[in-house]
Amino acid sequence: MRKTALKYSMGLLGLACVSAMAIQITPTFDTFGTLSGATFGGQGIPNDAVAITTVTSGNYTITLGLTAHQRYSNPAPVNDGAGTFYAVAGGDVYSSPQQPGYARWNVAYYVDFDPNLSSWLPQGYSVRLYYDKDTAVGNDVTSYVTIEPNIFNGSTFDTQDSWNLGMAGGIGFDPNAYGEYSFALAVVKNNQILGMSAIVVNAGDGQIPAPPVPDGGATLALMGLSLAGLGGFARRRK
């Protein structure tokens, strides 16, 4: 998969919830482990603890990967082998230049369509990274924000990159706060979720407590219902 440039379209989720119950993102994947060939747009980024989901849609096989890793020389997050990562909280004052508004950890994503999509307006597909900007545990997905990785790469949807919560200005992110952040990378067609990978990052002292119970796929079913009325986000071409 070739590395591509990125464009982003950001905004609050427009969700049509089917009930009053809170819908939460918890770890979701087909397999958790090594995603061969993934570089996440950089050098030396680990690819051996990735939440991997494979989706078949029409003639396409779509691979999604989502992981958390250290930012430059900061401590590496550890994980429970089931999609939950434990990172050290605090601003990144150890890299050069110092960026105290950035977390000491990044989230990295990977998207591969096989074969590559061949049209500029690619048949109603989009790929969306949903993230939780609030450190409270169990937040409803209606409070989440989205980033839409580049889907206009000419003839391909393939993309991978590493991203930090401090890169999105104006979301009220405090890298020193202790708490839980959830992330979901979803492939969507005509506003319906086809599949997703999801992870949770606990920012704190970086230590693993008693391992939580894996989600087992319940998040995907709930989120699919919740996003049934999801409107398309505006996209602009650079």
Side-chain angles (χ1 to χ4, degrees):
M1 188 181 89
R2 68 181 180 89
K3 183 185 174 187
T4 56
L6 297 178
K7 303 185 184 83
Y8 294 109
S9 174
M10 299 183 62
L12 294 176
L13 286 176
L15 299 178
C17 294
V18 295
S19 73
M21 73 179 278
I23 297 177
Q24 305 164 14
I25 289 179
T26 54
T28 305
F29 47 82
D30 293 334
T31 60
F32 187 84
T34 299
L35 181 55
S36 299
T39 66
F40 302 111
Q43 296 182 346
I45 298 176
N47 66 357
D48 59 350
V50 185
I52 306 167
T53 297
T54 302
V55 178
T56 300
S57 176
N59 295 324
Y60 301 113
T61 299
I62 307 158
T63 302
L64 305 173
L66 197 58
T67 189
H69 67 93
Q70 74 272 30
R71 176 173 170 79
Y72 296 118
S73 59
N74 287 282
V78 294
N79 69 86
D80 64 353
T84 300
F85 293 80
Y86 299 87
V88 176
D92 181 12
V93 297
Y94 301 95
S95 301
S96 180
Q98 295 184 354
Q99 293 182 296
Y102 280 42
R104 301 179 70 183
W105 50 274
N106 282 12
V107 170
Y109 57 81
Y110 174 100
V111 181
D112 179 67
F113 274 68
D114 183 25
N116 289 338
L117 296 176
S118 58
S119 61
W120 183 254
L121 294 176
Q123 306 174 31
Y125 288 97
S126 64
V127 178
R128 298 168 187 170
L129 175 63
Y130 302 92
Y131 70 88
D132 180 4
K133 62 187 179 72
D134 189 335
T135 55
V137 176
N139 293 317
D140 192 296
V141 294
T142 55
S143 68
Y144 283 33
V145 178
T146 66
I147 291 176
E148 195 161 346
N150 182 26
I151 65 170
F152 290 130
N153 287 322
S155 63
T156 177
F157 260 23
D158 296 356
T159 186
Q160 55 181 325
D161 203 3
S162 177
W163 189 79
N164 191 289
L165 283 173
M167 294 177 180
I171 67 167
F173 172 64
D174 179 4
N176 298 299
Y178 278 39
E180 177 183 282
Y181 300 91
S182 297
F183 303 86
L185 179 68
V187 60
V188 180
K189 183 179 182 184
N190 298 328
N191 295 325
Q192 299 294 320
I193 283 189
L194 302 181
M196 75 175 186
S197 291
I199 62 172
V200 169
V201 178
N202 283 285
D205 59 10
Q207 302 299 310
I208 299 180
V213 178
D215 175 55
T219 297
L220 178 59
L222 286 172
M223 197 170 177
L225 288 173
S226 177
L227 297 177
L230 180 65
F233 289 96
R235 308 183 183 97
R236 63 181 179 88
R237 180 181 177 185
K238 285 187 179 179

